[in-house]
Amino acid sequence: LAHLRGWFNLSANACYETIYPDAPRLNQGGDFWLTVSMGEGLFDREGQEGGGRAQCWEHVDIDVTAFVRIKKDRTNADTLLLTDPRRGLLSLKRQILSAMAGVDLTTNGEPLLIEGCAARSAGRPLWDAQQGLGWITLTFALAYWWNLDTREPI
């Protein structure tokens, strides 16, 4: 979250965690906003067998969803919804890919990931005419170590 907030210069209200990747805040303001949600994870058994607690790492997908309200297009055309430089869904897709693909995230100056973040898939751009809301979801694969030597909350 901190990485995306910094990359896009977004507040905590405009880039936040959610359980469901396509669950927007309907009263959200601003040009666009992002949600981040975790998918299922798989733990590496071989690492644990060879290295114990110190080698407990998880492979997990995260979904980054960009939401936008834009009503500049004429009827039956979606050009601006897709390509507006600041908040078009395809423009945001490219920006999210640029922000996340290959990035090696850190926390408190320490490496967080085993390898760089990998783009895995992207959903099709979607539009809800009733709410005047468009969105697109990108999925990234992460592999990171769990620090099991602490009882501090996440």
Side-chain angles (χ1 to χ4, degrees), residues 1 5 12-18 23-25 28 33-36:
L1 281 173
R5 287 176 185 154
N13 288 330
C15 182
Y16 53 91
E17 293 171 301
T18 183
R25 290 183 185 158
Q28 186 74 34
W33 65 98
L34 303 176
T35 63
V36 177

Side-chain angles (χ1 to χ4, degrees), residues 89-108:
L89 292 174
L90 296 179
S91 299
L92 287 169
K93 178 180 179 177
R94 182 187 49 76
Q95 292 175 55
I96 292 167
L97 281 167
S98 182
M100 296 294 293
V103 170
D104 191 8
L105 301 173
T106 61
T107 181
N108 299 324

Side-chain angles (χ1 to χ4, degrees), residues 6-23:
W7 185 275
F8 287 98
N9 195 27
L10 294 174
S11 70
N13 288 330
C15 182
Y16 53 91
E17 293 171 301
T18 183
I19 297 292
Y20 302 105
D22 57 356

Side-chain angles (χ1 to χ4, degrees), residues 40 50 54-55 57 65 76 80 82 87 93-94 102 117 134 152:
E40 294 182 23
Q55 294 296 321
W57 62 76
T65 303
N76 296 325
L80 293 173
L82 294 171
R87 56 190 179 137
K93 178 180 179 177
R94 182 187 49 76
C117 190
E152 294 181 26

